[in-house]
Amino acid sequence: VSSQTRDALIDAAEALLDGGGQDAVTLREVGKRVGVSHNAPYKHFSSKEALLAAVAARELDHYRDAILRARREAGSPLEALRTSLHEHVNRSVAHLERFHLIYGRWTTTDAELIRAAHGAYDAMLDLVRAAQASGSLPPTDPERLAALLRATAHGAADLAAAGHLEPEGKGRSDAAGLIDDLLAQLG
Amino acid sequence: VSSQTRDALIDAAEALLDGGGQDAVTLREVGKRVGVSHNAPYKHFSSKEALLAAVAARELDHYRDAILRARREAGSPLEALRTSLHEHVNRSVAHLERFHLIYGRWTTTDAELIRAAHGAYDAMLDLVRAAQASGSLPPTDPERLAALLRATAHGAADLAAAGHLEPEGKGRSDAAGLIDDLLAQLG
DNA sequence: ACCTGAACACCGTTCAAGT
DNA sequence: ACCTGAACACCGTTCAAGT
């Protein structure tokens, strides 16, 4: 289900989200930017949350696509994994409000959002399995290993964005550096 | 600076936050629960965000205290570290809205909040140094190592709470388990 | 020093009505 | 099928005024 107006509403919501967080996404401003009334969005989305879910799903699809692209372009599964994780933390910091949106509290279980989340997860899991098969990662349970990598990337991005990673400037530990530290320990 | 009313306002805000997130913390309901008018909070806090900062600072102090207690009670620095990280992820999941509050976007730089954040960070860093001194952790840069542990704990808690950790129920990876996986790799 | 009540400029959502 | 305008019940914040 897609339409010109619907896509424009998602674009506007995303831009407002990036600019000032969820509270800055008002249906009145979304409507104004698209050139419709402030309650026209209700003809395409059941609520403001449903509109935000569409933004989140689109961002999760981007994460999945980045993993698939890295697998095609990188020289080895390990390098594809490293590239994917680096891109993930960098994009999370660059688009922090989308990142917080995705992992915040949802009161509705949007099917599209769940599909997108599973898509990104499955792509990462497949990549971890490939890296294990090539001997670049220990042959432990792939789901646990993928979860460890995702948790570290997720936390590194969130802490870096909140400024909790380099309180004294000494021993500089940026988010991408922590990924490399973990991969070095696993290798 | 403390007063009966001020503490009661923080208590009420925390309870509302736990119940329904930041949006559920309305100054009107906070005032009603404390028995004052809906704008009495402005006599103690400059804005709603300042009130929420007080809630966040108190929670960070709890994290710091939990680390200090674990150091006193555990048999070794490594066990104190493991206990602290387990408690951290469990409490983050149990009090998810406080967790999201702490690491969300702040538009004001509250001095009390920064002090509390540094207190929790320093306690964790000292504990990592002690574990390194006892030979339980590799002698790498302690700040980077502490950051890696914090990032993993943080991400594990957030992903577990969002339900992104066990999508198929197979290879169950709870947040505390990921902490153990990482410590095992580092040991 | 601390609090109140009215007011202002918002907000998400609903609904009757239009094309 | 898609959109509008008025309305409802909120919200954070401000301000004059009270003790």
Side-chain angles (χ1 to χ4, degrees):
Chain A
V1 190
S2 86
S3 80
Q4 200 94 14
T5 304
R6 186 189 146 93
D7 292 341
L9 290 170
I10 300 176
D11 289 340
E14 186 179 79
L16 288 167
L17 178 74
D18 289 344
Q22 271 189 67
D23 288 349
V25 183
T26 67
L27 296 183
R28 281 165 167 83
E29 183 62 25
V30 166
K32 186 195 257 185
R33 293 192 175 203
V34 174
V36 294
S37 74
H38 74 279
N39 42 17
Y42 284 96
K43 308 304 160 182
H44 302 270
F45 303 95
S46 62
S47 66
K48 174 178 172 178
E49 190 183 28
L51 171 58
L52 290 173
V55 175
R58 189 203 260 177
E59 187 69 9
L60 280 164
D61 283 343
H62 181 99
Y63 284 127
R64 177 205 55 200
D65 292 343
I67 293 170
L68 298 179
R69 181 170 13 85
R71 287 199 67 169
R72 270 184 272 113
E73 298 178 358
S76 72
L78 180 64
E79 282 316 306
L81 182 61
R82 187 189 310 275
T83 299
S84 295
L85 291 170
H86 282 188
E87 283 182 7
H88 185 269
V89 295
N90 288 336
R91 186 175 179 90
S92 297
V93 172
H95 297 294
L96 188 64
E97 298 298 344
R98 303 183 199 175
F99 178 76
H100 281 156
L101 175 69
I102 290 171
Y103 298 103
R105 257 298 162 67
W106 297 94
T107 67
T108 48
T109 55
D110 187 274
E112 175 74 1
L113 181 58
I114 292 175
R115 176 205 59 74
H118 278 66
Y121 172 79
D122 290 342
M124 174 59 70
L125 181 58
D126 282 349
L127 183 49
V128 168
R129 284 208 177 95
Q132 286 181 309
S134 77
S136 307
L137 286 179
T140 59
D141 182 288
E143 302 220 13
R144 285 185 79 111
L145 188 53
L148 177 61
L149 288 162
R150 287 202 311 144
T152 301
H154 182 101
D158 213 11
L159 291 176
H164 286 240
L165 231 46
E166 326 156 346
E168 269 128 68
K170 224 188 113 243
R172 281 193 98 255
S173 46
D174 60 322
L178 291 187
I179 299 297
D180 291 337
D181 288 354
L182 177 58
L183 288 176
Q185 287 290 341
L186 293 173
Chain B
V1 189
S2 86
S3 80
Q4 200 93 18
T5 304
R6 188 189 145 92
D7 291 342
L9 290 170
I10 300 176
D11 288 340
E14 186 180 79
L16 288 168
L17 178 73
D18 288 343
Q22 271 190 66
D23 288 349
V25 183
T26 69
L27 296 184
R28 282 164 167 83
E29 183 62 24
V30 166
K32 186 195 257 187
R33 292 192 176 202
V34 174
V36 293
S37 75
H38 73 280
N39 42 15
Y42 284 96
K43 307 304 160 182
H44 302 269
F45 303 95
S46 62
S47 66
K48 173 179 171 176
E49 190 183 28
L51 172 58
L52 290 173
V55 174
R58 188 203 258 178
E59 187 68 10
L60 281 164
D61 284 344
H62 180 98
Y63 283 128
R64 177 204 58 200
D65 292 343
I67 294 170
L68 299 179
R69 181 170 11 89
R71 286 198 69 168
R72 271 184 270 111
E73 298 179 357
S76 73
L78 180 64
E79 281 316 305
L81 182 62
R82 187 190 310 274
T83 299
S84 294
L85 291 170
H86 282 188
E87 282 182 8
H88 185 270
V89 295
N90 288 336
R91 187 176 178 90
S92 296
V93 173
H95 296 294
L96 188 65
E97 298 298 344
R98 303 184 198 175
F99 178 76
H100 282 155
L101 173 69
I102 290 172
Y103 298 102
R105 258 297 162 67
W106 297 95
T107 69
T108 49
T109 54
D110 186 274
E112 174 74 1
L113 181 57
I114 292 175
R115 175 205 60 73
H118 278 67
Y121 172 79
D122 290 343
M124 174 59 71
L125 182 57
D126 283 349
L127 182 49
V128 168
R129 284 206 176 97
Q132 287 181 307
S134 76
S136 307
L137 287 180
T140 59
D141 182 288
E143 300 219 14
R144 284 184 81 110
L145 188 53
L148 176 60
L149 287 162
R150 286 202 310 145
T152 302
H154 182 101
D158 214 10
L159 292 176
H164 287 237
L165 231 45
E166 327 157 344
E168 271 129 66
K170 226 188 111 240
R172 283 192 97 254
S173 46
D174 60 323
L178 291 187
I179 299 298
D180 292 337
D181 288 355
L182 177 57
L183 288 176
Q185 288 289 342
L186 294 172

